[in-house]
Amino acid sequence: MTRHTDTFLVSFLKRLRKGMLENFSVTGMTRHIPHRGFTLLVAVVLSSVALAIGLSLLGISYKQVLLASAAKQSQNAFYAADSVLECVLYFDQQMDAF
């Protein structure tokens, strides 16, 4: 191994023993403290966007369920009225009731 590699490994092992490698970077032994809150900001923004999309889809789905339920009830009412008219027509033709 080269002298540079040996120096790097010795320095790495010393820091590892001391517990100084919390934010170790392979490109260099630097800590990136100024960018520490940026990841949290991105995570919060992306979570907010995903939550907004999910809630809007939930609202659309709920409205669709309500409309489908109303359409089913309307169809049932139409068929009930049609059945009554058929009964009246049958009794009128058979018994000359009306």
Side-chain angles (χ1 to χ4, degrees), residues 48-62:
S48 299
V49 168
L51 181 65
I53 291 171
L55 288 176
S56 65
L57 289 176
L58 181 67
I60 291 171
S61 298
Y62 181 70

Side-chain angles (χ1 to χ4, degrees), residues 5-74:
T5 307
D6 290 339
T7 307
F8 175 76
L9 287 176
V10 169
S11 175
F12 177 77
L13 291 174
K14 283 181 185 177
R15 287 179 183 233
L16 184 62
R17 274 190 232 134
K18 290 181 182 177
M20 298 174 57
L21 293 176
E22 298 126 6
N23 294 325
F24 177 70
S25 170
V26 177
T27 58
M29 298 248 197
T30 59
R31 294 175 67 159
H32 298 288
I33 293 175
H35 301 291
R36 203 169 188 170
F38 183 72
T39 305
L40 180 62
L41 176 66
V42 170
V44 168
V45 168
L46 290 178
S47 298
S48 299
V49 168
L51 181 65
I53 291 171
L55 288 176
S56 65
L57 289 176
L58 181 67
I60 291 171
S61 298
Y62 181 70
K63 289 177 186 176
Q64 288 292 325
V65 167
L66 290 179
L67 287 174
S69 175
K72 184 177 178 183
Q73 291 173 357
S74 174

